[in-house]
Amino acid sequence: MKAAQYSQLPIHHQLPSSSSMHQTSNPLKLLSCFLLFGIGLVLGTMLSSYTKSSPFNTLQSLQFLPPLSPPPPPPRLLSPPPPPPRLLSPPPPPPLLSPPPPPPLLVFSLSSPLLPLPPSPTIILYPGQSPARIGLKGYLEPSNVMHDMTEEELLWRASMVPRIPTHPYKRIPKVAFMFLARGELPFAPLWEKFFRGHEGLFTIYLHLSPEYTGDVAKESVFYGRRIPSRPVEWGEVNMIEAERRLLANALLDFSNQRFVLLSEACVPLWNFETIYSYLINSTQTFVSLYDDPSSTGRGRYSKSMLPQIHIDQWRKSSQWFEVDRELAVAIVSDDFYFPVFQKFCHAQWGCYADEHYLPTMINIKYGAKNSNRSVTFVNWSLGGPHPARYYRKQVTPELLRWMREGSTCMYNGRPTNICFLFARKFLPNALIRFELFAPKVMGFG
């Protein structure tokens, strides 16, 4: 009956068959398998990473390895790296990083016998007095004209020229009176009267024979003015060397602006004020030079002087000159023309360097600034290799006036009858006559 009833139910109310139930449960089983597999995979992965990061498991696994070789060192990640060696035992600092020694002022001590103080000048200060400042004093004006410089050192030092036109000090221009003499100056008493009362406006330099041992009183303006000298022979190149030596020593004083060469037989024709103003205010130098076609002029020229000097540049003059500072520097620093005269101009060959070197060099390079005349009167009217000499009785007021105003020349572009400031060649016995006439004729004494 029940079986009939079940059979009479609709199909969708009937129980599923075993085959249909099996087919329905297969997808569910597959899904659950996949889920279990995924969960196992995740757990396996997590477990694997945990075992890798665990030092305990790693060490246990290392125990089961066969002892074929010593175990490798542990990886850096298993234990912290050892501290750097320099942190455990720092090396000594390199020499460049060592602190510099303390300055001497911090080390020197009066109580330390091992570190004595260096010698220093003693300065005595009175109440209210400040330490004296040296500044440029020793550089601008040497306190002593005697020195131990060699000839090369002297000329090099004298050739230095400041490039800044302004002066960082109060400069009073001075005239350098350079005496080239054998020994004693017979007219020194006359020159003493000439210089008196004009200190600070002149300097004196004496180039005397090294064999001369005489001296002057400490009160004299010539005291302590002798420079290091060498032997000089008439007509030889060492005469020019002596002139360069005088100029170089005078150039060491930066206040010297004019330089006049004199001999022991020279005397001043005017007072100091007139000569100082004449030279300081001049726009030209005073070197007499001329072209002499005779045997005593061009006849002394040598073709060996080519290519530095050509015969049409050859000039002659008296050696007694007056130059400014620019030309003085050029003379002491000349290494182009002077060596030619050292080689090819000697008295034994009939060439007298003191009569040709300076006029030839100036004619070539500085002719435009030269007046082409001398300020020292010399009488060559008698002819011969030497000028006329004046004895005591020949010195008269008329002779002195003729030397002073008996000529006409150009001064700073204007004509004047004051052409000669000095005169030579006077014998020593003429001193008494000059002392007699100087106050009235020459304006001093």
Short mmCIF file of all heavy atoms in Angstrom, two decimals, residues 177-179 191 259-270 275 278-279 285-288 317-323 371-380 387 390 403-404 407 409 418-426:
data_model
loop_
_atom_site.label_atom_id
_atom_site.label_comp_id
_atom_site.label_asym_id
_atom_site.label_seq_id
_atom_site.Cartn_x
_atom_site.Cartn_y
_atom_site.Cartn_z
N PHE A 177 125.39 113.39 -2.64
CA PHE A 177 126.70 113.88 -3.08
C PHE A 177 127.68 112.72 -2.98
O PHE A 177 128.03 112.27 -1.88
CB PHE A 177 127.15 115.05 -2.21
CG PHE A 177 126.31 116.29 -2.37
CD1 PHE A 177 125.11 116.43 -1.69
CD2 PHE A 177 126.70 117.31 -3.23
CE1 PHE A 177 124.33 117.57 -1.84
CE2 PHE A 177 125.92 118.45 -3.39
CZ PHE A 177 124.73 118.58 -2.70
N MET A 178 128.12 112.23 -4.13
CA MET A 178 128.96 111.03 -4.21
C MET A 178 130.39 111.43 -4.57
O MET A 178 130.64 111.93 -5.68
CB MET A 178 128.38 110.06 -5.24
CG MET A 178 126.91 109.73 -5.02
SD MET A 178 126.23 108.62 -6.29
CE MET A 178 126.54 109.58 -7.78
N PHE A 179 131.32 111.21 -3.66
CA PHE A 179 132.72 111.58 -3.86
C PHE A 179 133.53 110.35 -4.25
O PHE A 179 133.60 109.37 -3.49
CB PHE A 179 133.28 112.21 -2.59
CG PHE A 179 132.73 113.58 -2.28
CD1 PHE A 179 131.54 113.71 -1.57
CD2 PHE A 179 133.38 114.72 -2.70
CE1 PHE A 179 131.02 114.97 -1.29
CE2 PHE A 179 132.87 115.98 -2.42
CZ PHE A 179 131.69 116.11 -1.71
N TRP A 191 133.40 122.25 2.16
CA TRP A 191 132.16 121.50 2.05
C TRP A 191 131.40 121.48 3.39
O TRP A 191 130.17 121.49 3.40
CB TRP A 191 132.44 120.06 1.61
CG TRP A 191 132.77 119.93 0.14
CD1 TRP A 191 133.99 119.74 -0.40
CD2 TRP A 191 131.85 119.99 -0.94
NE1 TRP A 191 133.91 119.66 -1.77
CE2 TRP A 191 132.59 119.82 -2.13
CE3 TRP A 191 130.48 120.17 -1.05
CZ2 TRP A 191 132.02 119.82 -3.39
CZ3 TRP A 191 129.90 120.17 -2.30
CH2 TRP A 191 130.65 119.99 -3.46
N PHE A 259 121.46 112.59 -7.94
CA PHE A 259 122.75 111.98 -7.65
C PHE A 259 123.83 112.70 -8.46
O PHE A 259 123.78 112.69 -9.69
CB PHE A 259 122.72 110.50 -8.00
CG PHE A 259 121.58 109.75 -7.37
CD1 PHE A 259 120.29 109.81 -7.90
CD2 PHE A 259 121.78 108.97 -6.24
CE1 PHE A 259 119.23 109.13 -7.32
CE2 PHE A 259 120.74 108.28 -5.66
CZ PHE A 259 119.46 108.36 -6.19
N VAL A 260 124.79 113.28 -7.76
CA VAL A 260 125.85 114.02 -8.43
C VAL A 260 127.20 113.40 -8.07
O VAL A 260 127.48 113.10 -6.91
CB VAL A 260 125.82 115.52 -8.04
CG1 VAL A 260 125.91 115.71 -6.54
CG2 VAL A 260 126.91 116.29 -8.76
N LEU A 261 128.03 113.17 -9.09
CA LEU A 261 129.36 112.57 -8.91
C LEU A 261 130.40 113.69 -8.82
O LEU A 261 130.46 114.56 -9.70
CB LEU A 261 129.69 111.64 -10.07
CG LEU A 261 131.04 110.93 -10.00
CD1 LEU A 261 131.08 109.95 -8.82
CD2 LEU A 261 131.35 110.21 -11.31
N LEU A 262 131.23 113.62 -7.77
CA LEU A 262 132.24 114.64 -7.52
C LEU A 262 133.58 113.97 -7.23
O LEU A 262 133.64 112.78 -6.94
CB LEU A 262 131.84 115.52 -6.32
CG LEU A 262 130.48 116.23 -6.44
CD1 LEU A 262 130.03 116.74 -5.08
CD2 LEU A 262 130.54 117.36 -7.45
N SER A 263 134.65 114.77 -7.29
CA SER A 263 135.98 114.27 -6.94
C SER A 263 136.54 115.10 -5.79
O SER A 263 135.93 116.08 -5.35
CB SER A 263 136.91 114.37 -8.16
OG SER A 263 137.29 115.71 -8.39
N GLU A 264 137.71 114.69 -5.29
CA GLU A 264 138.33 115.45 -4.21
C GLU A 264 138.80 116.83 -4.66
O GLU A 264 139.11 117.69 -3.84
CB GLU A 264 139.50 114.66 -3.62
CG GLU A 264 140.70 114.50 -4.55
CD GLU A 264 140.63 113.23 -5.37
OE1 GLU A 264 139.53 112.85 -5.80
OE2 GLU A 264 141.69 112.62 -5.58
N ALA A 265 138.84 117.07 -5.99
CA ALA A 265 139.28 118.36 -6.52
C ALA A 265 138.11 119.26 -6.89
O ALA A 265 138.30 120.30 -7.53
CB ALA A 265 140.18 118.15 -7.74
N CYS A 266 136.88 118.88 -6.50
CA CYS A 266 135.68 119.66 -6.83
C CYS A 266 135.31 120.59 -5.68
O CYS A 266 135.53 120.28 -4.50
CB CYS A 266 134.50 118.73 -7.11
SG CYS A 266 134.59 117.87 -8.69
N VAL A 267 134.73 121.74 -6.06
CA VAL A 267 134.21 122.70 -5.08
C VAL A 267 132.84 123.16 -5.55
O VAL A 267 132.54 123.16 -6.75
CB VAL A 267 135.15 123.92 -4.93
CG1 VAL A 267 136.52 123.50 -4.39
CG2 VAL A 267 135.29 124.66 -6.25
N PRO A 268 131.96 123.56 -4.61
CA PRO A 268 130.67 124.13 -5.02
C PRO A 268 130.83 125.60 -5.43
O PRO A 268 131.62 126.34 -4.84
CB PRO A 268 129.83 124.00 -3.75
CG PRO A 268 130.82 124.05 -2.64
CD PRO A 268 132.08 123.41 -3.16
N LEU A 269 130.09 126.02 -6.43
CA LEU A 269 130.14 127.41 -6.90
C LEU A 269 129.00 128.24 -6.33
O LEU A 269 129.05 129.48 -6.43
CB LEU A 269 130.08 127.46 -8.43
CG LEU A 269 131.29 126.87 -9.17
CD1 LEU A 269 131.04 126.89 -10.68
CD2 LEU A 269 132.56 127.63 -8.82
N TRP A 270 127.99 127.61 -5.76
CA TRP A 270 126.83 128.32 -5.21
C TRP A 270 126.56 127.78 -3.81
O TRP A 270 127.12 126.76 -3.40
CB TRP A 270 125.59 128.12 -6.11
CG TRP A 270 125.78 128.57 -7.52
CD1 TRP A 270 126.35 127.87 -8.53
CD2 TRP A 270 125.44 129.83 -8.08
NE1 TRP A 270 126.36 128.59 -9.69
CE2 TRP A 270 125.80 129.82 -9.43
CE3 TRP A 270 124.83 130.99 -7.56
CZ2 TRP A 270 125.60 130.90 -10.29
CZ3 TRP A 270 124.62 132.06 -8.42
CH2 TRP A 270 125.01 132.01 -9.76
N ILE A 275 121.85 125.23 -5.18
CA ILE A 275 122.15 123.96 -5.84
C ILE A 275 121.03 122.95 -5.59
O ILE A 275 120.62 122.23 -6.51
CB ILE A 275 123.51 123.43 -5.34
CG1 ILE A 275 124.63 124.35 -5.83
CG2 ILE A 275 123.73 122.00 -5.81
CD1 ILE A 275 126.02 123.93 -5.38
N TYR A 278 118.04 123.88 -7.71
CA TYR A 278 118.35 123.68 -9.12
C TYR A 278 118.20 122.21 -9.52
O TYR A 278 117.61 121.89 -10.57
CB TYR A 278 119.77 124.16 -9.38
CG TYR A 278 120.14 124.36 -10.84
CD1 TYR A 278 120.09 125.63 -11.41
CD2 TYR A 278 120.56 123.30 -11.63
CE1 TYR A 278 120.45 125.83 -12.74
CE2 TYR A 278 120.91 123.48 -12.95
CZ TYR A 278 120.86 124.74 -13.51
OH TYR A 278 121.20 124.93 -14.82
N LEU A 279 118.71 121.31 -8.69
CA LEU A 279 118.70 119.88 -9.04
C LEU A 279 117.34 119.24 -8.77
O LEU A 279 116.84 118.48 -9.61
CB LEU A 279 119.79 119.16 -8.24
CG LEU A 279 121.23 119.58 -8.54
CD1 LEU A 279 122.20 118.81 -7.67
CD2 LEU A 279 121.56 119.41 -10.01
N THR A 285 118.21 115.35 -16.76
CA THR A 285 119.48 114.94 -16.16
C THR A 285 120.61 115.72 -16.83
O THR A 285 120.42 116.34 -17.88
CB THR A 285 119.70 113.44 -16.33
OG1 THR A 285 119.67 113.11 -17.74
CG2 THR A 285 118.61 112.65 -15.61
N PHE A 286 121.80 115.68 -16.24
CA PHE A 286 122.91 116.50 -16.73
C PHE A 286 124.12 115.62 -16.99
O PHE A 286 124.96 115.36 -16.13
CB PHE A 286 123.24 117.58 -15.70
CG PHE A 286 122.11 118.54 -15.45
CD1 PHE A 286 121.26 118.34 -14.37
CD2 PHE A 286 121.86 119.60 -16.31
CE1 PHE A 286 120.20 119.21 -14.13
CE2 PHE A 286 120.81 120.48 -16.08
CZ PHE A 286 119.97 120.28 -15.00
N VAL A 287 124.19 115.13 -18.24
CA VAL A 287 125.32 114.34 -18.71
C VAL A 287 125.72 114.91 -20.06
O VAL A 287 124.92 114.91 -21.00
CB VAL A 287 124.98 112.84 -18.85
CG1 VAL A 287 126.20 112.06 -19.35
CG2 VAL A 287 124.50 112.28 -17.52
N SER A 288 126.94 115.40 -20.15
CA SER A 288 127.43 115.96 -21.40
C SER A 288 127.84 114.82 -22.33
O SER A 288 128.63 113.95 -21.96
CB SER A 288 128.63 116.87 -21.14
OG SER A 288 129.19 117.32 -22.35
N SER A 317 132.13 111.97 -23.39
CA SER A 317 131.83 113.05 -22.46
C SER A 317 132.80 113.01 -21.30
O SER A 317 133.60 112.07 -21.17
CB SER A 317 130.40 112.94 -21.93
OG SER A 317 130.32 111.95 -20.92
N SER A 318 132.70 114.02 -20.43
CA SER A 318 133.40 113.99 -19.15
C SER A 318 132.64 113.07 -18.21
O SER A 318 131.43 112.92 -18.31
CB SER A 318 133.48 115.40 -18.57
OG SER A 318 133.99 115.36 -17.25
N GLN A 319 133.34 112.44 -17.29
CA GLN A 319 132.71 111.44 -16.43
C GLN A 319 131.87 112.05 -15.32
O GLN A 319 131.09 111.33 -14.68
CB GLN A 319 133.77 110.54 -15.79
CG GLN A 319 134.59 111.21 -14.70
CD GLN A 319 135.58 110.26 -14.06
OE1 GLN A 319 136.78 110.37 -14.32
NE2 GLN A 319 135.09 109.36 -13.25
N TRP A 320 131.98 113.34 -15.06
CA TRP A 320 131.29 113.95 -13.92
C TRP A 320 129.85 114.26 -14.30
O TRP A 320 129.57 115.16 -15.07
CB TRP A 320 132.04 115.19 -13.46
CG TRP A 320 133.50 114.89 -13.32
CD1 TRP A 320 134.49 115.29 -14.15
CD2 TRP A 320 134.10 114.05 -12.34
NE1 TRP A 320 135.70 114.77 -13.75
CE2 TRP A 320 135.48 114.00 -12.63
CE3 TRP A 320 133.61 113.33 -11.24
CZ2 TRP A 320 136.38 113.26 -11.86
CZ3 TRP A 320 134.51 112.60 -10.48
CH2 TRP A 320 135.87 112.58 -10.78
N PHE A 321 128.94 113.48 -13.74
CA PHE A 321 127.54 113.51 -14.16
C PHE A 321 126.63 113.88 -13.01
O PHE A 321 127.02 113.88 -11.83
CB PHE A 321 127.12 112.14 -14.73
CG PHE A 321 127.23 111.02 -13.74
CD1 PHE A 321 126.24 110.79 -12.78
CD2 PHE A 321 128.33 110.15 -13.74
CE1 PHE A 321 126.34 109.76 -11.86
CE2 PHE A 321 128.43 109.12 -12.83
CZ PHE A 321 127.43 108.93 -11.87
N GLU A 322 125.36 114.14 -13.36
CA GLU A 322 124.27 114.31 -12.40
C GLU A 322 123.04 113.66 -13.01
O GLU A 322 122.65 113.99 -14.14
CB GLU A 322 124.02 115.80 -12.11
CG GLU A 322 123.15 116.07 -10.90
CD GLU A 322 121.65 115.84 -11.16
OE1 GLU A 322 121.23 115.96 -12.32
OE2 GLU A 322 120.91 115.56 -10.19
N VAL A 323 122.41 112.74 -12.27
CA VAL A 323 121.27 111.99 -12.80
C VAL A 323 120.16 111.96 -11.76
O VAL A 323 120.38 112.23 -10.57
CB VAL A 323 121.67 110.55 -13.19
CG1 VAL A 323 122.70 110.56 -14.32
CG2 VAL A 323 122.21 109.78 -11.98
N SER A 371 119.81 116.65 -20.67
CA SER A 371 120.04 118.03 -21.12
C SER A 371 121.25 118.15 -22.03
O SER A 371 121.46 119.19 -22.66
CB SER A 371 120.26 118.93 -19.90
OG SER A 371 121.44 118.55 -19.21
N ASN A 372 122.06 117.10 -22.12
CA ASN A 372 123.24 117.08 -22.95
C ASN A 372 124.27 118.12 -22.53
O ASN A 372 124.97 118.71 -23.35
CB ASN A 372 122.88 117.26 -24.43
CG ASN A 372 123.99 116.80 -25.37
OD1 ASN A 372 124.85 116.02 -24.96
ND2 ASN A 372 123.99 117.30 -26.59
N ARG A 373 124.36 118.35 -21.24
CA ARG A 373 125.39 119.23 -20.68
C ARG A 373 125.68 118.82 -19.25
O ARG A 373 124.88 118.12 -18.62
CB ARG A 373 124.96 120.70 -20.73
CG ARG A 373 123.76 121.03 -19.85
CD ARG A 373 123.38 122.51 -19.98
NE ARG A 373 122.23 122.87 -19.16
CZ ARG A 373 122.30 123.30 -17.90
NH1 ARG A 373 123.49 123.41 -17.31
NH2 ARG A 373 121.21 123.62 -17.24
N SER A 374 126.82 119.24 -18.75
CA SER A 374 127.23 118.92 -17.39
C SER A 374 127.04 120.13 -16.48
O SER A 374 127.04 121.28 -16.94
CB SER A 374 128.70 118.49 -17.36
OG SER A 374 129.14 118.28 -16.04
N VAL A 375 126.85 119.88 -15.19
CA VAL A 375 126.74 120.98 -14.22
C VAL A 375 128.06 121.18 -13.48
O VAL A 375 128.14 121.98 -12.55
CB VAL A 375 125.61 120.72 -13.20
CG1 VAL A 375 124.25 120.83 -13.88
CG2 VAL A 375 125.79 119.36 -12.52
N THR A 376 129.12 120.48 -13.90
CA THR A 376 130.44 120.63 -13.31
C THR A 376 131.37 121.29 -14.33
O THR A 376 131.58 120.75 -15.43
CB THR A 376 131.01 119.26 -12.88
OG1 THR A 376 130.14 118.68 -11.92
CG2 THR A 376 132.39 119.43 -12.27
N PHE A 377 131.91 122.43 -13.95
CA PHE A 377 132.80 123.17 -14.85
C PHE A 377 134.16 122.48 -14.89
O PHE A 377 134.79 122.22 -13.86
CB PHE A 377 132.97 124.61 -14.36
CG PHE A 377 133.90 125.42 -15.22
CD1 PHE A 377 133.41 126.16 -16.28
CD2 PHE A 377 135.27 125.45 -14.96
CE1 PHE A 377 134.27 126.92 -17.07
CE2 PHE A 377 136.13 126.19 -15.74
CZ PHE A 377 135.62 126.92 -16.81
N VAL A 378 134.64 122.18 -16.13
CA VAL A 378 135.96 121.61 -16.36
C VAL A 378 136.57 122.33 -17.55
O VAL A 378 135.92 122.48 -18.60
CB VAL A 378 135.88 120.09 -16.64
CG1 VAL A 378 137.28 119.52 -16.82
CG2 VAL A 378 135.16 119.38 -15.51
N ASN A 379 137.82 122.78 -17.41
CA ASN A 379 138.49 123.54 -18.47
C ASN A 379 139.35 122.59 -19.31
O ASN A 379 140.40 122.13 -18.87
CB ASN A 379 139.36 124.64 -17.84
CG ASN A 379 139.97 125.55 -18.90
OD1 ASN A 379 139.81 125.34 -20.10
ND2 ASN A 379 140.69 126.56 -18.46
N TRP A 380 138.85 122.30 -20.54
CA TRP A 380 139.59 121.44 -21.47
C TRP A 380 140.31 122.23 -22.55
O TRP A 380 140.76 121.65 -23.55
CB TRP A 380 138.62 120.46 -22.13
CG TRP A 380 138.03 119.43 -21.19
CD1 TRP A 380 136.84 119.50 -20.54
CD2 TRP A 380 138.64 118.21 -20.79
NE1 TRP A 380 136.64 118.40 -19.76
CE2 TRP A 380 137.73 117.56 -19.89
CE3 TRP A 380 139.85 117.57 -21.10
CZ2 TRP A 380 138.01 116.33 -19.31
CZ3 TRP A 380 140.11 116.33 -20.52
CH2 TRP A 380 139.19 115.73 -19.63
N PRO A 387 142.23 117.80 -17.85
CA PRO A 387 141.81 119.21 -17.88
C PRO A 387 142.83 120.11 -17.18
O PRO A 387 143.76 119.64 -16.52
CB PRO A 387 140.48 119.18 -17.13
CG PRO A 387 140.61 118.05 -16.17
CD PRO A 387 141.43 117.01 -16.89
N TYR A 390 143.99 124.41 -11.41
CA TYR A 390 144.07 125.77 -10.89
C TYR A 390 144.84 125.77 -9.56
O TYR A 390 144.50 125.03 -8.63
CB TYR A 390 142.66 126.34 -10.68
CG TYR A 390 141.91 126.56 -11.98
CD1 TYR A 390 141.05 125.57 -12.48
CD2 TYR A 390 142.05 127.73 -12.70
CE1 TYR A 390 140.36 125.76 -13.67
CE2 TYR A 390 141.37 127.94 -13.90
CZ TYR A 390 140.53 126.94 -14.38
OH TYR A 390 139.86 127.13 -15.56
N MET A 403 133.13 131.35 -13.88
CA MET A 403 132.65 129.96 -13.83
C MET A 403 131.17 129.91 -13.50
O MET A 403 130.44 129.05 -14.00
CB MET A 403 133.45 129.17 -12.78
CG MET A 403 134.90 128.91 -13.14
SD MET A 403 135.76 128.00 -11.80
CE MET A 403 137.37 127.74 -12.56
N ARG A 404 130.71 130.81 -12.66
CA ARG A 404 129.32 130.79 -12.22
C ARG A 404 128.35 131.32 -13.28
O ARG A 404 127.29 130.74 -13.49
CB ARG A 404 129.17 131.65 -10.95
CG ARG A 404 129.67 130.97 -9.69
CD ARG A 404 129.98 131.99 -8.59
NE ARG A 404 128.88 132.90 -8.35
CZ ARG A 404 127.97 132.79 -7.38
NH1 ARG A 404 128.02 131.75 -6.55
NH2 ARG A 404 127.01 133.68 -7.22
N SER A 407 128.38 131.62 -18.83
CA SER A 407 127.84 130.78 -19.91
C SER A 407 126.33 130.96 -19.98
O SER A 407 125.70 131.47 -19.05
CB SER A 407 128.18 129.31 -19.69
OG SER A 407 129.57 129.11 -19.56
N CYS A 409 122.77 128.67 -21.09
CA CYS A 409 122.28 127.32 -21.35
C CYS A 409 120.77 127.31 -21.15
O CYS A 409 120.16 128.33 -20.83
CB CYS A 409 122.96 126.30 -20.43
SG CYS A 409 122.74 126.64 -18.67
N ILE A 418 122.95 130.42 -15.26
CA ILE A 418 123.42 129.51 -14.21
C ILE A 418 123.50 128.12 -14.84
O ILE A 418 122.51 127.38 -14.89
CB ILE A 418 122.47 129.51 -13.00
CG1 ILE A 418 122.33 130.91 -12.42
CG2 ILE A 418 122.98 128.55 -11.93
CD1 ILE A 418 121.39 131.00 -11.24
N CYS A 419 124.66 127.79 -15.32
CA CYS A 419 124.86 126.52 -16.02
C CYS A 419 125.72 125.54 -15.21
O CYS A 419 125.54 124.33 -15.33
CB CYS A 419 125.51 126.76 -17.37
SG CYS A 419 124.56 127.86 -18.46
N PHE A 420 126.65 126.06 -14.42
CA PHE A 420 127.56 125.21 -13.67
C PHE A 420 127.33 125.42 -12.18
O PHE A 420 127.30 126.55 -11.69
CB PHE A 420 129.01 125.51 -14.03
CG PHE A 420 129.34 125.23 -15.47
CD1 PHE A 420 129.50 126.28 -16.37
CD2 PHE A 420 129.47 123.93 -15.93
CE1 PHE A 420 129.80 126.03 -17.70
CE2 PHE A 420 129.77 123.68 -17.27
CZ PHE A 420 129.93 124.72 -18.15
N LEU A 421 127.20 124.31 -11.48
CA LEU A 421 126.99 124.34 -10.02
C LEU A 421 128.25 123.97 -9.26
O LEU A 421 128.41 124.35 -8.09
CB LEU A 421 125.89 123.35 -9.64
CG LEU A 421 124.54 123.50 -10.37
CD1 LEU A 421 123.56 122.45 -9.87
CD2 LEU A 421 123.99 124.90 -10.18
N PHE A 422 129.15 123.25 -9.91
CA PHE A 422 130.42 122.84 -9.29
C PHE A 422 131.55 123.12 -10.27
O PHE A 422 131.31 123.35 -11.47
CB PHE A 422 130.39 121.34 -8.95
CG PHE A 422 129.15 120.91 -8.22
CD1 PHE A 422 128.06 120.37 -8.92
CD2 PHE A 422 129.06 121.04 -6.85
CE1 PHE A 422 126.92 119.97 -8.25
CE2 PHE A 422 127.92 120.64 -6.18
CZ PHE A 422 126.85 120.12 -6.87
N ALA A 423 132.79 123.08 -9.77
CA ALA A 423 133.94 123.32 -10.64
C ALA A 423 135.12 122.46 -10.16
O ALA A 423 135.23 122.11 -8.98
CB ALA A 423 134.33 124.79 -10.62
N ARG A 424 135.98 122.12 -11.07
CA ARG A 424 137.21 121.40 -10.81
C ARG A 424 138.19 121.78 -11.94
O ARG A 424 137.76 122.34 -12.96
CB ARG A 424 136.97 119.88 -10.74
CG ARG A 424 136.53 119.27 -12.06
CD ARG A 424 136.22 117.80 -11.94
NE ARG A 424 137.27 117.02 -11.35
CZ ARG A 424 138.23 116.40 -12.04
NH1 ARG A 424 138.26 116.54 -13.37
NH2 ARG A 424 139.14 115.68 -11.45
N LYS A 425 139.45 121.74 -11.83
CA LYS A 425 140.20 120.88 -10.97
C LYS A 425 141.15 121.78 -10.17
O LYS A 425 142.02 122.43 -10.75
CB LYS A 425 140.95 119.88 -11.84
CG LYS A 425 141.68 118.80 -11.18
CD LYS A 425 142.24 117.84 -12.24
CE LYS A 425 142.89 116.65 -11.58
NZ LYS A 425 143.43 115.70 -12.59
N PHE A 426 140.97 121.85 -8.85
CA PHE A 426 141.72 122.76 -8.00
C PHE A 426 142.70 121.97 -7.14
O PHE A 426 142.40 120.90 -6.63
CB PHE A 426 140.77 123.56 -7.11
CG PHE A 426 139.83 124.43 -7.88
CD1 PHE A 426 138.55 124.00 -8.20
CD2 PHE A 426 140.23 125.70 -8.29
CE1 PHE A 426 137.68 124.82 -8.90
CE2 PHE A 426 139.36 126.52 -9.01
CZ PHE A 426 138.09 126.07 -9.32
#
